[in-house]
Amino acid sequence: MSDDSTDQTSDNVQKAADNKFEIITKYIASGTLIVLSTIFYFGSDRSVGPMIICAVMAIVGSVLLVVGPAKWLINLIAGKVVITPMKVNKSPIPLKGIPKIRVKAPPPDLEKRRSYGASKSVPKTESRLVELPDYSAIPSTDPTVPTYVINEECEIVDWNNAFALAFDNSMEGHRGTPILEWVYRLDNWKEVIDHGEALFSMPSLPPYDCEDILYTSESFGLLRVKKHAYHIPTSTEGQYDGWIVVLDVEFADETNRLLYLERCFDLVQMDLLWSDYALSYDAVLTASDTYPKLLRLMIGEDKIDDFHLKPIAAGAKVLDLGAGTGNLTEMLAKPDDGRTIVAIENNRLMFDLMRRKLKRIGDKVLRSDTSGPGVVTVREHATKLEGLDADFFDVVIANNTLYLLEDPVGLLSECARVLKPGGEIRISGPKKDTNLNQLFGRIRADLTGKNQFKHLQQHYEKVKRINERRLAPNLYRWDVSDVTSLLKEAGFDEIGPTTTRAYAGQAMIVVARTSSNNVDA
Ligand SMILES: C[S@@+](CC[C@H](N)C(=O)[O-])C[C@H]1O[C@@H](n2cnc3c(N)ncnc32)[C@H](O)[C@@H]1O
């Protein structure tokens, strides 16, 4: 809430308190006068004098009693009073909006930089799309300090939100690639490669390394960075397992520093919100009938009246955007169906729950590349779908995710790029007239019907509360025609089918396809 509106609110509260005081005083005074006049009337000899006093007290008392309502009635007739219905505040804790994370375009001379790196004796490996969960635990005391982790092969395996933000999400799609891929994006990349070469030609690596880095950020201008890299020891004495790298950032411009901090707080809060959501939504929604029905609808295994989608074929290549705890991915990942699925999810807790769920299906379900059936889980912000090949997927699914994104058209354009010609995108999400009470009423009835409500009540209430208070600013963003426009802007030309009756009538589904004629000759 802005300062102005805070002032206005406290002003209004003060006025309301003053009014109340005035009304109470008037009623006490009028009541007292009327009672006194009555006592006087019955207690006196009813001669002219006392009767006059008595009449004056009764008149003044009555006037006081009716003057307020009469004034209000006159104002109402004169049109000075507007009767407003009681307002339900859907979002008492408004979010400022979805934090901005963008991918900066790689430097134009990237190939030149890569061949310079290749000629030096620093660790290099093939680029690959891989998640290495053993390393995903950055100990960050201050979440606004950019931090990343590299393994013993010098591959970047994890980073925090602050790193993604300050460095323009430059590692999106490059998890598990040599840290050199990041170095190529720095302003002083050559110096940093040479520093690495000197370091790796030492007889043994030092436990600590420090160097200066320069980077021009898309959103925050020039960053002067002191890089502190600490070796992570393994249990074997004297051996090192990887590095944790903490970046002490100095912003060339103070305004940019403040802007960075503000965005970073938003990102961290949003991330915590998803962690909190993850703890409850999975249990509540999977125990209901309403949510699994939505998932089945999305993969073509259910219908509402005459609305249904084509079942996703066995062997299909599917991208699940914002996969959450992996319920939709799990439905698609039946080993016999031989589908290749990439599930992108940024929140660590959601992501871990998804991986656990998928591991339960079978040992071989999780995989680290897309060359065969199984699921590749990718933990990062989906913005540019960096690292994913063009013309690869048959279907992209964004189940309850698109409405959360800051740059939906940017991501949809990327979806069009990674889809095969004629490939399909399926989007579900809330709509302008979504009624959360009806949706949650249905979910509650589902749970009550299965005798599950009581033990899930706290989780149910939390999920409802998060939707009402925290997600509300984004929930009522679009209807089918808005999503259709976004899809067209992103290059999808065939739209449909669509429905507004999914998820207890409170969600829409919009399907679109890329043109099947744009196959390169
Ligand atoms: C409402 S949940 C839906 C999860 C899942 N699709 C489902 O239907 O159960 C939205 C999910 O999108 C994820 N998310 C939001 N923005 C994202 C982004 N830019 N990149 C990747 N995941 C994102 C959140 O962390 C959250 O898990």
Side-chain angles (χ1 to χ4, degrees):
M1 198 188 279
S2 73
D3 286 348
D4 282 350
S5 59
T6 315
D7 287 345
Q8 182 117 35
T9 310
S10 54
D11 242 34
N12 288 344
V13 170
Q14 188 55 49
K15 271 184 200 154
D18 290 344
N19 271 346
K20 219 167 165 183
F21 180 71
E22 197 184 315
I23 289 165
I24 291 170
T25 323
K26 264 187 197 159
Y27 284 127
I28 290 175
S30 67
T32 315
L33 285 170
I34 291 168
V35 170
L36 279 179
S37 75
T38 315
I39 295 170
F40 216 73
Y41 178 78
F42 289 107
S44 71
D45 59 359
R46 297 185 197 169
S47 58
V48 179
M51 279 305 102
I52 290 174
I53 297 170
C54 189
V56 169
M57 283 199 292
I59 290 166
V60 174
S62 309
V63 168
L64 277 178
L65 197 65
V66 297
V67 78
K71 221 163 109 187
W72 181 83
L73 204 65
I74 291 164
N75 282 340
L76 184 69
I77 293 163
K80 287 183 193 163
V81 175
V82 182
I83 303 174
T84 45
M86 204 180 358
K87 220 171 162 184
V88 178
N89 193 352
K90 282 188 173 158
S91 177
I93 313 168
L95 277 180
K96 274 199 208 116
I98 300 300
K100 291 194 174 31
I101 280 260
R102 289 218 169 90
V103 177
K104 185 179 174 178
D109 61 344
L110 186 61
E111 281 318 312
K112 185 183 125 201
R113 295 180 184 198
R114 283 191 176 132
S115 62
Y116 184 81
S119 72
K120 299 285 169 178
S121 49
V122 283
K124 319 174 245 294
T125 50
E126 283 296 299
S127 233
R128 60 201 161 97
L129 184 71
V130 67
E131 175 67 27
L132 302 169
D134 292 354
Y135 291 90
S136 49
I138 294 177
S140 51
T141 46
D142 180 345
T144 68
V145 175
T147 307
Y148 62 85
V149 175
I150 54 183
N151 64 9
E152 76 274 31
E153 314 282 348
C154 264
E155 293 158 343
I156 182 158
V157 288
D158 205 6
W159 54 85
N160 63 1
N161 282 306
F163 177 78
L165 181 67
F167 295 93
D168 303 307
N169 224 7
S170 46
M171 287 291 96
E172 181 186 306
H174 298 285
R175 196 182 293 266
T177 63
I179 187 62
L180 266 181
E181 255 329 292
W182 180 60
V183 173
Y184 296 142
R185 286 154 176 80
L186 303 176
D187 295 0
N188 61 339
W189 57 278
K190 221 176 205 164
E191 274 166 54
V192 178
I193 294 176
D194 293 347
H195 176 90
E197 188 179 38
L199 191 76
F200 281 95
S201 54
M202 288 163 88
S204 69
L205 289 172
Y208 167 79
D209 177 56
C210 176
E211 69 179 307
D212 291 321
I213 280 172
L214 289 174
Y215 177 75
T216 306
S217 152
E218 189 104 301
S219 315
F220 311 111
L222 179 65
L223 312 183
R224 290 190 195 89
V225 183
K226 194 56 103 192
K227 187 190 99 180
H228 304 277
Y230 304 89
H231 248 141
I232 308 167
T234 59
S235 48
T236 326
E237 211 174 303
Q239 295 289 306
Y240 293 110
D241 204 17
W243 303 76
I244 178 144
V245 185
V246 178
L247 302 173
D248 194 356
V249 180
E250 200 187 290
F251 293 80
D253 182 327
E254 174 63 9
T255 319
N256 281 337
R257 186 179 78 87
L258 299 178
L259 186 66
Y260 165 80
L261 286 175
E262 200 179 31
R263 291 223 186 128
C264 202
F265 294 143
D266 282 352
L267 263 183
V268 172
Q269 278 180 37
M270 198 69 196
D271 201 25
L272 285 174
L273 180 79
W274 287 124
S275 298
D276 199 14
Y277 201 66
L279 288 176
S280 297
Y281 103 101
D282 196 62
V284 170
L285 295 190
T286 53
S288 75
D289 299 323
T290 308
Y291 168 74
K293 186 173 173 69
L294 172 69
L295 300 185
R296 288 196 304 272
L297 204 59
M298 292 298 276
I299 63 172
E301 291 184 2
D302 210 331
K303 61 189 188 99
I304 313 172
D305 307 329
D306 57 344
F307 177 86
H308 65 93
L309 301 178
K310 244 171 78 179
I312 295 182
K317 293 174 175 146
V318 187
L319 173 62
D320 185 0
L321 281 177
T325 54
N327 295 313
L328 195 130
T329 299
E330 188 187 21
M331 283 184 173
L332 290 170
K334 293 177 204 124
D336 291 347
D337 289 346
R339 298 184 184 104
T340 302
I341 304 154
V342 175
I344 303 186
E345 168 55 50
N346 185 53
N347 177 266
R348 188 187 301 275
L349 194 52
M350 293 269 189
F351 185 82
D352 288 347
L353 290 171
M354 163 163 65
R355 283 181 66 92
R356 264 195 244 176
K357 209 170 272 181
L358 295 170
K359 270 186 196 155
R360 283 205 301 265
I361 305 178
D363 290 347
K364 297 203 177 96
V365 169
L366 286 173
R367 52 179 303 138
S368 57
D369 60 56
T370 52
S371 62
V375 185
V376 180
T377 55
V378 181
R379 188 169 63 72
E380 55 199 26
H381 289 279
T383 53
K384 280 275 184 190
L385 304 183
E386 285 265 330
L388 296 183
D389 291 337
D391 299 345
F392 183 80
F393 293 100
D394 298 290
V395 183
V396 174
I397 302 186
N399 191 53
N400 267 331
T401 305
L402 196 76
Y403 73 98
L404 298 160
L405 302 178
E406 175 233 341
D407 179 15
V409 174
L411 184 61
L412 289 175
S413 310
E414 282 296 290
C415 291
R417 176 183 70 80
V418 300
L419 274 170
K420 289 175 184 169
E424 194 168 277
I425 184 164
R426 299 179 177 185
I427 297 165
S428 72
K431 48 198 175 109
K432 282 184 179 160
D433 62 353
T434 286
N435 184 327
L436 285 179
N437 283 333
Q438 277 187 20
L439 173 63
F440 280 92
R442 178 72 72 84
I443 292 169
R444 183 179 177 142
D446 290 349
L447 301 178
T448 309
K450 294 177 174 176
N451 250 343
Q452 297 271 339
F453 184 70
K454 235 180 178 160
H455 88 269
L456 287 173
Q457 184 167 359
Q458 272 191 356
H459 293 293
Y460 165 90
E461 271 157 16
K462 190 211 282 176
V463 173
K464 186 166 185 273
R465 199 170 55 238
I466 289 179
N467 271 280
E468 286 168 347
R469 297 188 179 183
R470 305 299 308 276
L471 302 180
N474 276 45
L475 281 179
Y476 311 103
R477 219 174 157 186
W478 300 320
D479 53 27
V480 170
S481 64
D482 299 307
V483 176
T484 301
S485 309
L486 298 175
L487 282 161
K488 287 195 169 153
E489 205 183 327
F492 287 89
D493 36 25
E494 254 186 77
I495 313 285
T498 66
T499 181
T500 53
R501 283 168 293 140
Y503 215 21
Q506 304 313 319
M508 61 178 153
I509 295 178
V510 183
V511 175
R513 272 163 302 282
T514 52
S515 162
S516 42
N517 305 325
N518 61 353
V519 192
D520 291 336

